[in-house]
Each structure stands twice: as structure tokens, then as C-alpha cells.
Amino acid sequence: MADPRQATGSGALETCCLERILEALKLLLSPGGSGSSSLQITKHDVLLATLKSNLSAVEDKLLKDPHWKTLKLLRDEIANKAEWPQNSVDVTWSFTSQILLWLLCLKETMIHLAADFNPGKSNPRTPEAAPALSPDTLSISQQKTVQSVLQFVVTLGVCPYLMPGVGVPLRYRTEFGAVVQDVVCLDAAPDATRRLYTSCRVLLNVAQHASLGSLIFCRHFGDIAAGLCQLGFCPTKRKPLKPEEEVLTEEERALSREALRDILNQIYQPLAVRELLTLQGGPPQACTDVKTQVRSQAPAWLRRLCGQLLSERLMRPSGVQAVVRGILEGAGAGAAGGHDAEATAADWKKCDLIAKILASCPQQSLSPEDYYRDICPQILDLFHFQDKLTARQFQRVATTTFITMSRERPQLAAKYLLQPMLAPLHRCLNTAEIPESDMVPGTILVTEEELSRCIEDVFKVYVVGNEPSAVLVDSLLPVLGVLFSLYCFTRQSVSHIRSLCEEILLWILGKLERKKAIASLKGFAGLDKSMPSLHSLCHFRAATQGGVMVAIKEPICDEDEDEALYQKVSSEQWQVEHLGDLLSLCQECGLAGDFFIFCLKELTHVAEENEAEFKMKPFSSKSLLELAQHHTLLVEGREQKLLVLQLVAVLCERMSEQIFTNIAQVVDFVAATLQRACASLAHQAESTVESQTLSMSMGLVAVMLGGAVQLKSTDFAVLKQLLPLLEKVSNTYPDPVIQELAVDLRITISTHGAFSTEAVSVAAQSTLNKNDPEGKTEGQRQTSHERSTGVSRSHLEQQQSHEKSNQTGLKSNTPLIPQEVSEPNATTNQKSRNITTEQLQEVLLSAYDPQIPTRAAALRTLSRWIEQREAEALEMQEKLLKIFLENLEHEDTFVYLSAIQVFSGNGEEISWSAAAVGSRELLLPPTSLL
């Protein structure tokens, strides 16, 4: 072949040669036909005539125009080297062959121009000047010409020869494609398979030039890949053909297979995935145009081949990203974005499809475990994209993949997905083995980035995914202690992971079985030492970016022991308070109420404490080790009981009246109170405070039985749990009023409310009247079940406040349930019992006690004795009046309300002395307490 550079002899003419090639291509594509402005609107005869006319016009130009002489030499040289038949009876193939020759001429010319290009050195005085362009650079208009040429090659030389079901047929694309499909003559030589092979090989040859390759693969990769699939992998007939009967040799088929794998490895992987999915196709789809035939389904061999090739894309480095982008990018994902990106972000069906693809182990993998080992790190990386749109879509895919894998292969998902994700939390557990190299004080065990990423990933998988599968829940249980400690630490300062920790804890507590949830809360509170928690050598430290890191503690010096003890006590106090805050958000699901009842039952164990167990046996019967162990157990037991008291106090302060959500919880609450009263009686520990607590609990049952709550038969089945306790109270409690009310409640519960004594009705009515200061009628209070339930819950809230005061000695601003509940004797004319002088003196001393609950209980006892006209109390009414007046000035509302009760009781008025009458103005309560 003559070198065009030798023929022309100048660089300018070489550039002119490039322009001549593009001019020849334009001439080949020029429209024709009578009154026609575009080939796209021509029909069969006009199209054929136009193709013939354009071929003749180019040949005439090459023969007659002297400026095209060099171009003709180049074209003839390449044509002589061509190994495919260029002439055919079918005009469409002759036209395609000429275009392929001109594309090869274009490629060779561009290669020679680039090889001879030698740009001069840039002028340092003008560094801002743009560098000289290479002479093989195509302008925008030239690129459009080449794109049109490539469109003709694919339309005339590739698509008509694809088998049904391989690729997208021409008739489904454009009207021009449908016309081409009809004018191509498949019976004329060369064979259709040979034509397809020639077109694909020449296009791949031209694509070896970088700029031309980008134009080819950008728009026509799918059609070329479809052709190579058919050429290299389509099964041949079972009967062996003679060599002269074979259209393609085995070597040519092997070259097609190799070429397919080469371009798949070189092309942009998301594009390869998308085109392979298109080739793989789906079930046959009906067309909206009834005149158009139904699209054929992809043949089985092609579906298997595409599945294999897709699996290979997936197993490559960053293969997961390629698959995800290949499916999502067409609808707006990725850096380019799109107007329908938001719709794609909300398309969970597409995310489910990707998750199923990623969760399915391909045949090429040795085993599912090998596949998960390779693929799971890439899935974890999907959570960590910076681009907001890409991150949102990829995170949804990753979350759905987590759930799908956990559902299909839970053991492998736990090993290769969940454990690596939770690794930073496992690293700082008290059950973890910290390497000696990390034991140096101040060493960062978990960095801020690791911990933040871990918490964010856990939030996305568990809370956003919201799939309470067993493997997901069980994987999070071992690190709940560390999560709660981290949550408590973030509450002390500003941190962006605080809300994430809170949402994770609320999610897991809501999804756990109730027993496991209560056990987790016990671990949070410190009642269950077996729960894994933060390692004793580790502590949280605030980071610079608002995050948290885990570091090894500094050793404690002797001078810092007091400070360390203070920090330990403060930390425990914070944890209890933060636990109360967390439970205040768990009231609707009933978890807070169940945990509160659990704490009340633990108080019963405190009441049942046998002092004899704490008495030491003679020293001679125990060794020093046994004595130390016994002392340790005693200390731990006392710590547990103090912690329970602290929990009850915090819960009473934090919880609202909605803590109990059903009748069963209310019954459990009352049962816990009755059990504690019975335990106190067993240890001869009866007190006025315990008596009032018991009266209020029984009054609450009377309220429910009196109509405040619409009880069903199932509710009475729950209430029957109280019958043994009520019977025990009626038989053992010394107060006859409480005994009578316990008997009456047993009768009412046993008869499902069919028979109710007057004492129960009066107790319920008195309680409702006390909580209804506006004097609403019974019917108004029972307009709805929800309002009635709200009344009951308000009583529970008052009981909680009273429990806090009784057990902890803290101040309370919540009044007790009125004494009418526990004192129906005022209306039943029950005979008052006589009190002794010793009892009166004991109560008088308690009225000056510094403990708020003891003083308030004594004042209420004196008030009750006066209303019952006890002789001993009436004889000392002057002294009692002085006590009541002094306590009216007390700063605590609990004491004030207990003192003023004697002047506002519902019983018969007491005839006070003149001094008392003269002091009536002192009895007016402050405006803030009205």
C-alpha cells in the first residue's frame, strides 16, 4: 500500500486527506429520492435507489476529481487487503462494505497524523496559551458525521442479521429500522452470518483508535456485544458440517468469544452490566401496537451466557458497584443524576432486584462461603459514598441486600456482613481480648471514624431496614451494653451520633421479646452483671469532629482514688437517669410499664429481706476467705437493693400517666403492691406509709370495678390473679377497714361485677370525685373508654410519686390518692377503734420527723383520728392544731397538703377552739397550689 504521506508530501495535504475522507462519508449519507428530505422517511424502493445513487456518486468523485486521487489510492490499498466480499447483489451489503472501508481509511489516516505530530515547546512568557491540538482530533461536526456513519453500519450490517431474541430488533427502534429490516436480502451472498462477522470485526478494528472507539462503544456496544454472543456462543447444528458448508470456522468463533471478553473487560463496567441485562431479557412483553409482533424471548443459551458474564462482572474488583450502577444509572443515579432520580430513589422494587442478584451465589464461585467472603466487603462499602444522591440509592441497595442475605443465608451473613460491621463495638467489650500492644494507656482502640461509621451503618441496616429477623436481632444483643454506655456518654455533650444511638436502642427494645427486653434493661441499669459491657480498661473520649473514640484508660494514682470513686458513682447515676429518659420514649409499647412493675417486684424482695441472714456466724466456723466472700455478697446485695430504690425513684419522676397501656399491667402493678404489703406483714414491718400505699392500690382496683374502665370477661380473668393476694390481706392485715375492702373486692371480682358491695362503690366514687374537681357526673366521666382509662392512669401516676417518696425519701409534689378510698367507714358507720396513749405519742413524734414521707404520713394519721373522733386525739386538739399550723408553712407540698387535709375533710366538722377559729385565715392555701 502506497503511503499517503509520500504521495502528498506535506502536512497540510495530509489534513486535507482527513477532510476528504469525511467528505466522502457525507456524500455516502446524503439523502435522495423525489421530494425527500431524509432517508428516515423513505420507503423500500426509494431507500435502495438512494443507496445505489450515493455509491455511484462517490465512485465518480474518486475517478474524476484530481483532489481525490490520493484518497482513491488509500481506499484501494485497504480494499485489496480486505478479506471479506465487498460486492453483492444486495445493495445494503455493498453499501455497508464501502462504509467499512472508509472507516478503516479514517482510522489509518488518524494514526499517521498523530504519529507525525510534534508540538513545539510552549512559550514560558505565555503559559496561559492553550496547547496545540493533535491533528487527528475531530471537531464536533466531524464527530456527528462519524456517529451517523456508525449508525448506518450497525443498522445495515449488524442488527438485520441477529437471531430472534438476540438484542433489540430493528422494528422496535425506529421507522427507518423497520424499512431496513424489510429491504435486506438474506438469501443473497455472502451469508448473513458472514456479514455479521465482518461488520463486528471491522468495527472492533476501528475501535482500536481511542477517539473512534469511544464513539463506537458509547452508543453501539450493546449491538456489537449481541453480535459477538451470537457468533461465538450460539450452538451449531448437531450434525457435523463439511468444511465447505461451514459459514464460520472454529477459529473465527473462538476469536469472537475472545473479542467479547476483551471488550467486556475494557468497557465501563456499569455499561457492560446494563447491556448484558438487556441482552438477557425477561419474559415476553406484549407491544402496545397491535400490528407489531410480540418481541421474542431471549434464547436459553443467551440467558445462560449473560448470567455467566454478569457473574464475572460481579466477581471483579468493585463488581458490586458496577452491578448497582449498571441497574440504577439509567434512571438517574450516579454522578450525572437525572430528573427522575427521586422516583428511582423511592423505587424499592429495583433495590429488591439488585439485592436478589447480589445474594445469589453464581455458578463460577467455588462455594457460597467463598462468594460471601469476596462480595460482602464491597456491600459494606456501598454505605460510604459522599455524593448525596448516589449515597441515598446505594444505601438502600446495601440495606436491602443485608436483609436479603440475612434471610437466605443467616450464618454466612452474620459472619461476613454483621460481624465486620459491628467489629468496632466488639473490640471494646469486656469479653474481648485486647492485644498487649494496645494496652498502653492513651492508645486509641477505636477511632472516631470507625465508631461513627459503625453506628451509622447499624442505624441504616437495623432502623432503616426495619427487618426484625432473628439473625439481625441476635447479632446486636452482645453489643447493647456498649451501645447504651455510648448513648449515655453522648448525652453529656454535643454529638452527631447521639440520636442514632437512641434510635437503635429504641428499635431493638421494641423488636425484642418482652423477657429479653426486660433483661437488656436490667443490664443497662446494672442489675444484671452478666451482660457484656464496656471493657474495664477502656473509656469513651470526645473527638474533634463531634464524634467519640475509645481509648485505654490512664492508670489511677493513689491521690486520684477519691476522684475515680466519684466518677464511678456519677457515671452510675447518669446511667440510671438516662435509662429513665430512654424508657420515657417506650411508654406506648408498654415496655416502660413492664419494667416499672419489675422494679416494684424487686422492692418486694427488699421487704422480704430477712435480717437473720445478715448476721455473721461465729468466726470459728468460717475461714477468712469465706468471711471475705460472705462480706462481698452482702455488699453486692445491698448495692442491688439501693439500685432498685434509685430506679423506682427515677421512673416515678420520668414516667407520665401513660406508663400503663392495658389492664394486665395495672393488675400486675396492684399485685406487686399487695405482695410487698404482705411481705411487710410477715416481717412485722407494718407502717402508716405502707397502709396508705395498700389503701391506694386497693382503691385503684375499686375505681376499675366501679366503672372507670369498661371491663370485659378477659379483663376479669386477669383480675382474678389478685384473689389470693386479697384473701391474704383480708386474713392478715390488722386494719379492719382494709380487711373489709379486700373481702368486698374479692366478691366483686369473683362475680365479674354482678355483685358489688357498698364499700367498693363508695371507694370508687370517692376516688373519682377527688379527681374530678369540677363535679362532673358519672355518665360524663364514662363517655368513652379512653377517657376512663386516662382517669385510672392518673391514679397510677399518683401512686408512682407516692412510691418514690415512701422508698427513697425524696421530695414529692404529687398529692396522694384521697383517704376516702381507704376510709369507707365514714359512710358505712363502722365503729372506730380506740387508740392508746403510746400510739398517739409515737405519731406525734413522727410529725416532727425530718423525713418528708414519715412526717406526711403522721399528719394524715392524726387527721384521720380526728375525723374518727378518737378520744385520745380530741383531748389534745389544741396541741394537734399547733402541729397542723406549723406544717402549713412547710416548703414541701406533700407536707402542706397532708396538714391542710384536717381542715378540708368530708367528715363532720370539728369544733375548734377560739384560737383555732382565729387562725382560720392561715389555712388558705397559696394561689400556686389551688
Side-chain angles (χ1 to χ4, degrees):
M1 168 181 161
D3 193 342
R5 292 170 294 178
Q6 296 177 357
T8 57
S10 101
L13 292 178
E14 290 175 2
T15 305
C16 181
C17 184
L18 178 62
E19 295 176 353
R20 290 284 186 270
I21 295 175
L22 292 171
E23 185 179 351
L25 291 174
K26 285 184 180 181
L27 186 57
L28 281 174
L29 302 183
S30 60
S34 176
S36 173
S37 61
S38 174
L39 284 175
Q40 281 75 3
I41 62 173
T42 60
K43 298 300 181 182
H44 307 75
D45 297 338
V46 178
L47 174 60
L48 294 175
T50 303
L51 295 179
K52 292 178 181 179
S53 175
N54 291 346
L55 285 174
S56 300
V58 172
E59 291 297 329
D60 292 342
K61 193 76 172 176
L62 290 172
L63 294 174
K64 298 179 181 179
D65 193 337
H67 298 290
W68 286 46
K69 182 179 179 180
T70 305
L71 186 59
K72 184 177 184 302
L73 294 175
L74 177 61
R75 198 280 307 266
D76 293 341
E77 182 70 20
I78 292 178
N80 292 333
K81 293 182 179 180
E83 299 177 354
W84 72 85
Q86 302 169 19
N87 298 320
S88 173
V89 177
D90 187 359
V91 179
T92 60
W93 176 246
S94 299
F95 186 82
T96 303
S97 298
Q98 289 300 313
I99 292 182
L100 293 176
L101 290 175
W102 287 113
L103 285 175
L104 289 174
C105 292
L106 179 64
K107 173 202 168 186
E108 291 296 329
T109 302
M110 294 175 69
I111 291 175
H112 287 295
L113 289 174
D116 293 341
F117 178 60
N118 186 17
K121 295 183 179 180
S122 59
N123 188 354
R125 296 182 179 181
T126 58
E128 69 279 1
L133 285 175
S134 176
D136 67 333
T137 304
L138 297 176
S139 65
I140 295 178
S141 62
Q142 290 173 340
Q143 291 182 17
K144 290 183 178 179
T145 301
V146 175
Q147 288 176 350
S148 300
V149 171
L150 294 174
Q151 182 70 37
F152 266 88
V153 172
V154 173
T155 304
L156 295 175
V158 176
C159 295
Y161 311 116
L162 295 177
M163 298 173 57
V166 180
V168 181
L170 278 176
R171 64 180 70 257
Y172 284 93
R173 303 187 184 189
T174 61
E175 184 180 354
F176 176 69
V179 174
V180 170
Q181 190 75 49
D182 293 335
V183 300
V184 172
C185 183
L186 299 178
D187 297 332
D191 188 89
T193 303
R194 175 59 59 182
R195 297 183 188 183
L196 177 62
Y197 178 81
T198 300
S199 298
C200 291
R201 293 299 299 178
V202 173
L203 286 174
L204 292 177
N205 188 354
V206 175
Q208 292 177 0
H209 191 279
S211 58
L212 294 178
S214 62
L215 295 176
I216 292 174
F217 292 132
C218 180
R219 296 191 177 184
H220 307 293
F221 171 78
D223 292 323
I224 297 176
L228 293 175
C229 288
Q230 179 174 317
L231 293 171
F233 296 93
C234 179
T236 58
K237 296 181 180 180
R238 295 182 179 179
K239 182 180 178 180
L241 299 176
K242 298 178 181 179
E244 62 272 11
E245 295 177 347
E246 291 183 350
V247 179
L248 292 181
T249 64
E250 185 59 34
E251 181 181 359
E252 290 173 332
R253 290 171 59 87
L255 288 174
S256 300
R257 292 192 289 268
E258 183 180 356
L260 176 63
R261 298 189 182 278
D262 287 342
I263 63 173
L264 284 175
N265 292 333
Q266 297 172 11
I267 201 68
Y268 178 59
Q269 290 303 294
L271 174 62
V273 170
R274 185 165 64 248
E275 295 299 339
L276 288 174
L277 288 172
T278 303
L279 283 177
Q280 192 176 33
Q285 298 178 356
C287 223
T288 54
D289 188 359
V290 295
K291 296 182 180 180
T292 308
Q293 297 180 0
V294 177
R295 178 180 172 181
S296 300
Q297 185 181 13
W301 65 266
L302 182 58
R303 294 198 301 271
R304 291 192 298 268
L305 173 63
C306 291
Q308 179 181 352
L309 295 175
L310 283 170
S311 299
E312 292 177 2
R313 302 305 99 203
L314 180 61
M315 299 298 293
R316 288 168 57 90
S318 302
V320 172
Q321 270 194 56
V323 171
V324 176
R325 289 183 182 275
I327 297 177
L328 294 181
E329 272 189 353
H339 68 281
D340 55 348
E342 291 296 332
T344 303
D347 188 3
W348 279 97
K349 293 182 179 180
K350 190 166 292 186
C351 296
D352 291 340
L353 171 64
I354 300 175
K356 290 180 180 179
I357 293 175
L358 297 179
S360 301
C361 178
Q363 297 179 354
Q364 290 79 6
S365 182
L366 297 177
S367 67
E369 185 166 3
D370 293 335
Y371 172 72
Y372 271 64
R373 184 188 301 112
D374 295 336
I375 218 71
C376 288
Q378 297 186 47
I379 296 175
L380 289 171
D381 290 338
L382 294 179
F383 284 121
H384 311 135
F385 282 85
Q386 299 299 323
D387 179 70
K388 292 184 178 179
L389 177 60
T390 303
R392 182 166 61 251
Q393 293 175 321
F394 279 29
Q395 287 167 12
R396 289 191 172 187
V397 172
T399 299
T400 311
T401 305
F402 259 84
I403 295 172
T404 304
M405 287 185 166
S406 301
R407 189 186 303 117
E408 295 184 358
R409 297 186 182 273
Q411 294 181 349
L412 294 179
K415 183 177 181 180
Y416 294 108
L417 275 180
L418 299 176
Q419 289 183 7
M421 181 181 66
L422 298 172
L425 297 178
H426 282 284
R427 205 179 307 160
C428 52
L429 280 175
N430 54 5
T431 56
E433 296 183 1
I434 301 178
E436 293 185 2
S437 57
D438 294 337
M439 298 292 289
V440 179
T443 302
I444 304 301
L445 194 62
V446 180
T447 64
E448 175 188 10
E449 182 181 0
E450 289 177 331
L451 192 58
S452 298
R453 175 175 291 187
C454 173
I455 298 300
E456 291 171 359
D457 292 351
V458 170
F459 175 79
K460 295 166 187 173
V461 172
Y462 290 84
V463 181
V464 177
N466 196 24
E467 177 73 17
S469 61
V471 62
L472 290 176
V473 173
D474 293 343
S475 65
L476 199 58
L477 285 178
V479 297
L480 281 185
V482 178
L483 270 175
F484 180 73
S485 300
L486 178 60
Y487 166 72
C488 295
F489 181 82
T490 57
R491 290 291 302 270
Q492 303 173 29
S493 60
V494 177
S495 177
H496 64 277
I497 64 174
R498 178 198 303 172
S499 60
L500 300 181
C501 294
E502 182 179 284
E503 292 292 338
I504 294 170
L505 291 172
L506 292 176
W507 183 87
I508 190 65
L509 291 175
K511 301 302 180 182
L512 282 174
E513 297 178 1
R514 192 48 53 92
K515 290 184 178 180
K516 291 184 177 180
I518 295 297
S520 299
L521 293 175
K522 289 169 57 180
F524 296 165
L527 296 175
D528 185 3
K529 302 297 183 181
S530 64
M531 183 178 187
S533 58
L534 188 66
H535 200 285
S536 59
L537 296 177
C538 301
H539 71 122
F540 294 114
R541 183 191 298 175
T544 56
Q545 301 297 325
V548 181
M549 63 180 68
V550 181
I552 302 298
K553 290 181 178 179
E554 299 288 343
I556 300 176
C557 302
D558 295 339
E559 296 80 5
D560 298 335
E561 289 184 355
D562 293 340
E563 179 65 22
L565 179 60
Y566 171 76
Q567 293 293 338
K568 180 178 182 297
V569 174
S570 300
S571 175
E572 294 175 352
Q573 175 68 22
W574 289 337
Q575 287 197 352
V576 172
E577 292 180 356
H578 297 325
L579 177 60
D581 295 334
L582 190 66
L583 282 173
S584 65
L585 304 174
C586 300
Q587 296 186 107
E588 294 184 1
C589 65
L591 178 61
D594 288 341
F595 187 69
F596 182 68
I597 294 170
F598 161 78
C599 294
L600 291 181
K601 291 179 180 179
E602 290 296 311
L603 281 182
T604 303
H605 300 322
V606 176
E608 292 175 348
E609 176 184 308
N610 189 353
E611 295 295 338
E613 295 179 359
F614 294 94
K615 293 181 179 180
M616 304 285 288
K617 293 183 179 180
F619 290 101
S620 59
S621 63
K622 286 188 177 184
S623 64
L624 292 177
L625 179 60
E626 290 177 339
L627 289 174
Q629 292 176 348
H630 182 68
H631 178 73
T632 302
L633 292 176
L634 290 180
V635 173
E636 291 179 353
R638 293 294 175 88
E639 288 180 352
Q640 289 281 97
K641 293 175 176 60
L642 291 174
L643 184 56
V644 170
L645 294 175
Q646 185 182 12
L647 274 172
V648 173
V650 170
L651 292 177
C652 289
E653 181 181 354
R654 296 290 198 277
M655 298 300 107
S656 66
E657 65 275 6
Q658 285 84 22
I659 185 172
F660 295 146
T661 59
N662 52 61
I663 296 295
Q665 286 186 332
V666 178
V667 172
D668 289 340
F669 167 73
V670 175
T673 306
L674 296 178
Q675 288 174 351
R676 189 166 69 255
C678 295
S680 299
L681 288 175
H683 294 85
Q684 291 81 36
E686 179 195 359
S687 66
T688 304
V689 175
E690 194 68 48
S691 175
Q692 291 187 353
T693 303
L694 184 59
S695 299
M696 286 185 291
S697 299
M698 297 172 64
L700 180 59
V701 179
V703 168
M704 291 190 295
L705 295 174
V709 179
Q710 298 177 1
L711 298 176
K712 303 177 182 178
S713 57
T714 54
D715 297 331
F716 279 103
V718 176
L719 284 168
K720 286 183 179 180
Q721 301 175 11
L722 300 176
L723 294 180
L725 295 172
L726 290 173
E727 182 179 6
K728 188 174 182 180
V729 170
S730 64
N731 294 333
T732 60
Y733 208 80
D735 190 344
V737 176
I738 295 180
Q739 289 182 7
E740 179 185 0
L741 185 57
V743 172
D744 294 343
L745 289 176
R746 288 184 63 243
I747 296 173
T748 306
I749 294 174
S750 300
T751 60
H752 287 206
F755 177 80
S756 180
T757 63
E758 184 180 359
V760 174
S761 301
V762 171
Q765 187 65 37
S766 300
T767 303
L768 292 175
N769 288 339
K770 191 67 177 179
N771 284 272
D772 189 12
E774 298 180 1
K776 296 181 180 179
T777 63
E778 183 75 14
Q780 290 173 328
R781 286 191 301 269
Q782 298 180 6
T783 54
S784 65
H785 176 70
E786 290 78 6
R787 290 183 59 191
S788 300
T789 307
V791 173
S792 300
R793 290 173 179 170
S794 66
H795 287 283
L796 299 184
E797 177 66 11
Q798 294 175 0
Q799 169 66 6
Q800 295 163 20
S801 300
H802 188 211
E803 289 294 335
K804 177 190 68 175
S805 300
N806 291 344
Q807 302 298 339
T808 65
L810 301 179
K811 291 185 178 182
S812 171
N813 294 325
T814 306
L816 297 174
I817 290 181
Q819 295 299 319
E820 289 83 353
V821 178
S822 60
E823 299 151 9
N825 56 319
T827 56
T828 57
N829 296 324
Q830 182 178 349
K831 188 178 296 185
S832 306
R833 64 175 181 174
N834 295 325
I835 61 174
T836 62
T837 304
E838 291 77 8
Q839 290 176 326
L840 179 59
Q841 292 297 330
E842 180 182 357
V843 175
L844 288 176
L845 291 176
S846 299
Y848 291 97
D849 196 286
Q851 295 293 331
I852 301 302
T854 304
R855 176 179 294 195
L859 293 174
R860 289 174 177 263
T861 301
L862 292 174
S863 176
R864 185 175 71 253
W865 286 347
I866 291 175
E867 291 179 1
Q868 294 174 355
R869 292 188 171 276
E870 293 287 350
E872 293 290 336
L874 292 178
E875 291 178 358
M876 303 179 63
Q877 61 174 301
E878 293 289 342
K879 186 175 182 179
L880 295 181
L881 175 61
K882 182 180 179 181
I883 293 175
F884 286 126
L885 293 177
E886 290 176 353
N887 282 283
L888 285 177
E889 300 177 358
H890 199 280
E891 62 181 3
D892 192 274
T893 310
F894 194 22
V895 175
Y896 169 82
L897 293 174
S898 300
I900 201 175
Q901 185 178 0
V902 70
F903 303 106
S904 58
N906 294 327
E908 185 178 354
E909 288 292 336
I910 305 298
S911 178
W912 296 100
S913 65
V917 175
S919 303
R920 294 291 282 190
E921 65 272 14
L922 300 176
L923 304 181
L924 297 176
T927 305
S928 59
L929 298 177
L930 289 177

